[in-house]
Amino acid sequence: MLTPVRLVEVSLFVGERDLEAVTATLMRERALHVEALEGEHWSPAPRWTEAAEAYRALEARLAGVHAALGLSGAAPSDVEPRPGHDKVELETAAMRLEGRVASWRDAMNAAEADVSEYDGARRQLELLAPLAAPVEDLRHLQHLHLTIGTLPDENVERVAAALFQVSFMLLPLERRGGRTLVAVAAARDDAHVLDRALRSAFFEPLELPPRVTGLPPKALATVNAELERAHAHVTELTATRDALAEEVGGDVRAALARARRDLELCEALRRVPFREGIYVLAGWMPESRVGEVTDRVRAAAEQPVVVEALPPARGRRSVPSLIHNPPWLRPFAVLVDTFGLPGYEELNPTLIATIVFLFTYGMMFGDLGHGALLALGGLALRRATPFGTVAAAAGATATVFGALYGVAFGHPVMEPLWLQPLHAIFPLLMAAVGAGVVILNIGFALNLIATWRTGDRPAFWLGASGVLGLAFYWALLGGGLAAFSGVIPVPLWLALVAPLALATALREPLIERAHGHRASFGDHAVTGFFELFESVISNLSNTLSFIRLGAFAVAHEGLSAMVLQYGLAPGGWAVLVIGTLLIVGFEGLIVGIQALRLQYYEFFGRFFQGRGRPFRPLAFTGGSDAPSPVRP
């Protein structure tokens, strides 16, 4: 829980006969993070790329049948994927199922086309109602070119102005929805001029089906009847589809699931390198699972499978990170994930980050009433988002601090178990700085543990957050406070700080020499001065940054008291309700951002980089194996 799961570099050498079974077993186990094997003599087999393309086409065909029948979800397949043998069987199944669906699909497409055509004709005839002329007569004028359609309202006048060089008639019939129905006519010899002017004005012509005849009211009645018959045909065909789905739906789901499973296996196999008939699956696996997975792989194979497992070399940066948090802590992983994933050799800070976040949030937002409301809101949202659980825990911590402050909704309701912010501002601010000192020193301690684990002794002793950094921090702050209060003489303090300051200024060349590299102290004189200056400023600023814990607590109580005062006045219920919602929602969000800022910049900056890459095991994405979690 406090470190990423220990991994080993695994290579499985498999014969061609067992490749499918072994790879499928690994995908079900979800234990191998595959890495590309480096070597000029190893390369993937082209036949699996061809097989993947073939299964992709089969999957698309079966998915088309699945969608046409309105089926939901592919049935999980417990059958062993066999991409080397399933192709002919699935092609036969696809052809049979497509044949069963093809005639129905053609009939449904034609029926839906009729519905679309008659529905469009109905809308057009409703627009043509002002014309007292048979529809067929409008199609066969001998001397005039007549077109009917709609124009944007603002373009009607523009069309009339554009047709000044020809004789024309433009008759606006009706306005609806920003467009005007117009009938425009010109001599047949000028038809090209008319059409060009209309196109430039975004003209949309109305084209009626050839079967529509008669006056618009009569034609509309005919179209409505045809539209009703077309809808009835669609309903009948839908019932036919449901019956067909009931008959062949199981076969479609099973074939689609098998095609998808075979496609996923082919996609994995196309990246497996081979040489002289031997394939190698290489990557990273949890150390605790090597024996178990090896036994299952060998049980699935007919021939011997050679398995090599080696621990990663110290300091290797390409190792993925498999983070395993207990279920109760997983919702809080978002506090770390938004910053970055722990590297393989880093500590997993989820637990300590959760404690620091909740402590800082509770101290800034301490209130019995507001904390309880925030906790209830978080509980209501916990199923929708992991932030719901975080908000509920933050609200609970704010309630605890509310008891320490003795305040509810900004009003003292009990004797404070510790202090009341508005009446003890200076002690609260000093306590906030003290809390910051503790948190920063926890960061120092975590960095010492992490660097010792990695074997980087120069960073352990001389790093900015190593022993030298910790000693310089306490010489500055602790020694400075002791000298200021008269506990130790100032010259003694300066005598303690001076050698640590010099070592801090020369940190870079010292570390380089500790690593066996040549480094000139003179070349680092200028950069060392700025390194020292930056170290002094950052130590002071990081510590004083935690003063906001007390400042926000004081501001929260003052704002809450003001809302309560106005809200309890006659007619002030709206101020009370809206103000309380703003405090819990808006101010609660601001406090959360401030707590994260302290964690990311001040705390994580001491020991955590978050540059890891996730452990992504070879796995099936669909079917019965999909829910299987990655186990350490």
Side-chain angles (χ1 to χ4, degrees), residues 70-395:
L71 300 174
S72 58
S77 174
D78 296 326
V79 180
E80 186 75 14
R82 303 176 307 163
H85 302 83
D86 288 345
K87 183 180 176 183
V88 174
E89 180 182 340
L90 287 175
E91 283 181 341
T92 302
M95 291 179 61
R96 177 177 61 84
L97 294 169
E98 286 175 332
R100 295 294 306 274
V101 173
S103 58
W104 169 85
R105 183 157 43 193
D106 292 342
M108 177 61 83
N109 288 340
E112 290 177 343
D114 286 343
V115 169
S116 178
E117 180 182 26
Y118 284 116
D119 188 55
R122 175 183 58 79
R123 292 194 300 269
Q124 294 170 13
L125 286 169
E126 288 174 350
L127 294 175
L128 292 176
L131 294 178
V135 174
E136 62 271 18
D137 290 349
L138 300 177
R139 298 193 186 102
H140 305 98
L141 298 177
Q142 295 183 358
H143 304 292
L144 290 177
H145 174 67
L146 173 67
T147 183
I148 300 173
T150 62
L151 281 169
D153 293 341
E154 63 273 14
N155 287 349
V156 175
E157 296 295 334
R158 297 175 186 173
V159 170
L163 294 174
F164 68 93
Q165 56 184 331
V166 300
S167 299
F168 72 94
M169 179 194 71
L170 190 152
L171 180 62
L173 301 175
E174 186 180 56
R175 288 188 175 183
R176 183 183 300 178
R179 299 186 69 87
T180 301
L181 176 68
V182 295
V184 190
R188 286 212 168 268
D189 293 340
D190 299 325
H192 64 286
V193 179
L194 176 62
D195 289 340
R196 185 169 61 248
L198 290 175
R199 282 196 304 270
S200 66
F202 304 102
F203 179 73
E204 294 181 1
L206 300 179
E207 298 180 0
L208 294 173
R211 289 170 285 182
V212 177
T213 60
L215 293 172
K218 179 183 176 182
L220 182 59
T222 302
V223 165
N224 283 334
E226 293 294 334
L227 181 60
E228 185 176 349
R229 279 193 289 272
H231 278 299
H233 192 201
V234 169
T235 302
E236 179 184 343
L237 288 172
T238 301
T240 303
R241 181 201 65 184
D242 294 341
L244 186 59
E246 184 71 23
E247 179 184 350
V248 301
D251 294 341
V252 174
R253 291 189 182 96
L256 179 58
R258 179 179 284 276
R260 286 175 174 169
R261 182 62 60 90
D262 286 336
L263 174 59
E264 290 176 354
L265 185 52
C266 286
E267 288 289 354
L269 293 173
R270 69 187 296 184
R271 296 188 293 272
V272 179
F274 84 110
R275 176 186 176 187
E276 298 177 357
I278 300 297
Y279 291 78
V280 58
L281 292 115
W284 300 96
M285 186 179 295
E287 185 179 32
S288 61
R289 298 202 62 196
V290 173
E292 169 196 357
V293 174
T294 299
D295 291 342
R296 295 187 180 180
V297 163
R298 287 174 174 164
E302 298 178 7
Q303 297 178 330
V305 176
V306 177
V307 179
E308 294 181 353
L310 299 173
R314 186 178 294 275
R316 183 167 176 179
R317 297 185 179 276
S318 62
V319 185
S321 298
L322 174 57
I323 305 300
H324 180 68
N325 291 314
W328 60 269
L329 189 59
R330 287 172 191 164
F332 299 95
V334 68
L335 299 175
V336 176
D337 293 343
T338 51
F339 183 87
L341 183 71
Y344 179 71
E345 293 188 335
E346 287 190 288
L347 298 176
N348 174 19
T350 305
L351 176 60
I352 189 66
T354 300
I355 295 172
V356 169
F357 174 82
L358 294 179
F359 172 82
T360 54
Y361 191 101
M363 189 170 183
M364 287 187 283
F365 200 69
D367 188 287
L368 285 166
H370 294 146
L373 291 178
L374 180 61
L376 291 175
L379 290 175
L381 295 173
R382 72 186 188 282
R383 296 186 183 277
T385 170
F387 285 104
T389 302
V390 175

